[in-house]
Amino acid sequence: MISVLILLQLSLVTSFTFQPTPSRRQCCTHNNNKDGLTVATSSLHAAASNLNEDGKCKFGTKEYWDAMYNGDDPSTTSDDNKNDDGLSAEEYSWYCGYRELQPFWDMLVLAEEHDKKKEQIQVLIAGIGNDIAPIQMYDDGWTNMIAFDYSESGVYRAQELFGPTRLLHNDDTNDTTANDGTTATGSAKLLVSDCRELPIPTGTIDATLDKGTLDAIYITGKEVFLDSVKELTRVTAANGIIVCVSAVIPQEELLGAFQNEGGSGDDCCWETVLDGGLAFADGGEATIDLGASLYSFRRR
């Protein structure tokens, strides 16, 4: 079974474009954002060129990511703890950090949630790994959080980054006891899970952040991608929203996957809020700062 929570582990971000034309292909680069975090910018072409011995994209294999998170990748150096792809086992943020994303996230999620406070809104993070953006989101008040990844090593690393003060005490669905044995006292829940089979009740998620995970899923196959959209649809509550940062999936295919889920026209389960074009937050921030295109869909 192809697990999907690759957490955008595939080195793929194309340069931002304002029109629905193919993004310019470019080589993989790694830059620091405003928070000093390392973020990845690369292209579908660059990702597809990273093939294993079976001719498959290595970024779509669980073994690759387990090794990367564990620091066991043979190419990882002791000098900077990065492998040949420039990925660090310590911390790595894809496309953008929380500082860049926050004004858009607040604008989109709080727009129809005036009857709920931040800490009451059930947030789902698709693909957690070692990205600290969700941790910064938690510290910003979005504490009713579930985050998942298909890599056990990625979830283990996330446990270390979240720390016991942010993690929910272990229950019958998830063990979030801190790695040092300290009892968790927070409210964030971490899950090892496949995006196509989430252990989450139907219609319970108010807001989902996808920062490259659907891009990674799309690389593994169109059917897996569509099945993942279907599962995200299942767990999303009425009037819930998905915020998607993407630079790999062709615009028409990403829009089509949501616009055709459950039927077309008025029968569709989703309303498109942002279609990947240039958009501005309430404070004037532009989506060009996200390093990828921003999409958003609201559940009918």
Side-chain angles (χ1 to χ4, degrees):
M1 179 176 64
I2 303 176
S3 294
V4 286
L5 301 154
I6 306 174
L7 167 58
L8 172 65
Q9 324 267 48
L10 31 105
S11 234
L12 23 94
V13 171
T14 51
S15 60
F16 181 87
T17 54
F18 299 162
Q19 302 299 326
T21 54
S23 299
R24 175 172 59 86
R25 292 182 175 182
Q26 57 189 33
C27 295
C28 180
T29 60
H30 307 279
N31 303 301
N32 289 329
N33 70 355
K34 295 175 182 178
D35 291 317
L37 303 174
T38 302
V39 296
T41 56
S42 63
S43 67
L44 177 59
H45 175 73
S49 67
N50 286 278
L51 305 180
N52 59 22
E53 295 178 354
D54 298 326
K56 298 180 180 179
C57 180
K58 66 181 180 181
F59 298 112
T61 66
K62 182 175 180 294
E63 293 75 15
Y64 175 85
W65 294 111
D66 282 341
M68 192 278 287
Y69 289 129
N70 286 330
D72 295 335
D73 189 315
S75 67
T76 299
T77 64
S78 58
D79 293 337
D80 58 8
N81 204 25
K82 293 181 180 179
N83 64 12
D84 282 347
D85 300 304
L87 305 183
S88 171
E90 299 302 320
E91 297 176 6
Y92 208 83
S93 198
W94 294 94
Y95 294 158
C96 63
Y98 181 60
R99 179 177 178 179
E100 291 81 18
L101 181 65
Q102 178 188 5
F104 301 98
W105 174 263
D106 288 355
M107 176 183 71
L108 293 165
V109 177
L110 295 175
E112 300 294 336
E113 294 288 357
H114 300 298
D115 59 332
K116 287 186 177 182
K117 298 179 180 179
K118 276 186 181 181
E119 61 270 19
Q120 296 173 318
I121 296 173
Q122 182 66 74
V123 173
L124 178 66
I125 306 296
I128 181 65
N130 58 359
D131 190 346
I132 69 169
I135 300 168
Q136 294 170 329
M137 179 183 292
Y138 181 97
D139 290 343
D140 190 38
W142 303 91
T143 54
N144 191 12
M145 180 183 291
I146 300 173
F148 67 90
D149 202 292
Y150 88 135
S151 168
E152 294 92 338
S153 298
V155 171
Y156 186 89
R157 181 65 187 126
Q159 286 181 333
E160 294 179 324
L161 292 171
F162 268 86
T165 60
R166 299 184 184 93
L167 292 176
L168 181 69
H169 179 69
N170 62 316
D171 58 20
D172 59 356
T173 59
N174 183 45
D175 182 1
T176 53
T177 301
N179 295 335
D180 61 1
T182 305
T183 301
T185 58
S187 56
K189 176 182 288 189
L190 303 181
L191 302 172
V192 178
S193 182
D194 186 315
C195 192
R196 297 170 296 174
E197 300 180 64
L198 296 172
I200 296 173
T202 298
T204 56
I205 300 298
D206 297 313
T208 294
L209 173 61
D210 161 43
K211 194 154 68 77
T213 296
L214 287 179
D215 279 354
I217 294 168
Y218 181 83
I219 291 290
T220 66
K222 181 74 173 290
E223 183 177 354
V224 181
F225 165 63
L226 293 176
D227 286 345
S228 299
V229 171
K230 183 180 295 291
E231 180 69 345
L232 291 174
T233 301
R234 181 189 69 80
V235 302
T236 303
N239 207 40
I241 196 162
I242 286 182
V243 178
C244 174
V245 185
S246 170
V248 171
I249 307 170
Q251 185 184 42
E252 64 275 11
E253 293 196 42
L254 181 54
L255 293 175
F258 283 92
Q259 291 172 350
N260 294 319
E261 179 58 37
S264 58
D266 293 338
D267 294 328
C268 176
C269 295
W270 296 94
E271 172 192 358
T272 301
V273 180
L274 293 180
D275 64 0
L278 178 62
F280 296 90
D282 294 337
E285 300 87 351
T287 50
I288 193 172
D289 291 330
L290 301 180
S293 299
L294 183 64
Y295 298 82
S296 183
F297 307 92
R298 188 169 297 283
R299 187 76 160 88
R300 289 173 171 166

